Amino acid sequence: MDRIASFCVDHTTLLPGMYLSRQDGPHGEILTWDVRMKRPNQGSYLSPAAAHTLEHLFATYARNSQYSSGVVYVGPMGCLTGFYLVTIGLTPAQALQLVQDAFAWMARYDGEIPGASAVECGNYRMMDPVAARVEAAAMVPVLQALDAEHLHY
């Protein structure tokens, strides 16, 4: 089998940030974004409960934002170092603005976690809103320092 694109990225050099991971579709309109919150293999990872909480918040925010029609998927990386955001028809500037706005919102969010019930989620008790706010807040300055022209590995 061929190696998938994300395994071709040198994870020893990755820093927190937002990177265009891949471009798909007949016109390159489907963009997969690597929203990297932690340096890989450095011993500091998102806790499963914080990642799960951030997943609920990030997906809810993205799918309710002005960019909602361009959001295909929001989900955590299995390595617990960040999230994937898949968009269609959004420019890099729009995707970055969405992520900047989402993380600023998550950093201050102090309400009920959307979808955190037995009816809506397969592991609704595994949530840590406090840790999620801390992790989101740590990402805000990283994201604010980025510009749409430099979102590459």
Side-chain angles (χ1 to χ4, degrees), residues 15-20 33-37 92-93 95-97 99-100 103 139-153:
L15 298 173
M18 181 172 163
Y19 306 93
L20 180 58
W33 297 98
D34 172 339
V35 181
R36 189 71 56 162
M37 298 176 68
L96 177 59
Q97 188 65 60
V99 173
Q100 288 171 331
F103 275 79
M139 239 347 241
V140 168
V142 172
L143 294 166
Q144 292 302 323
L146 300 176
D147 67 81
E149 304 304 314
H150 299 96
L151 301 176
H152 302 284
Y153 289 117

Side-chain angles (χ1 to χ4, degrees), residues 12-64:
T12 65
T13 63
L14 281 180
L15 298 173
M18 181 172 163
Y19 306 93
L20 180 58
S21 178
R22 54 182 296 146
Q23 217 165 331
D24 296 290
H27 306 290
E29 71 279 12
I30 302 169
L31 305 179
T32 300
W33 297 98
D34 172 339
V35 181
R36 189 71 56 162
M37 298 176 68
K38 303 288 186 175
R39 286 197 66 189
N41 304 306
Q42 297 299 306
S44 175
Y45 306 99
L46 296 169
S47 73
H52 189 212
T53 306
L54 288 167
E55 174 190 15
H56 279 239
L57 293 172
F58 191 4
T60 297
Y61 184 90
R63 291 189 177 112
N64 284 279

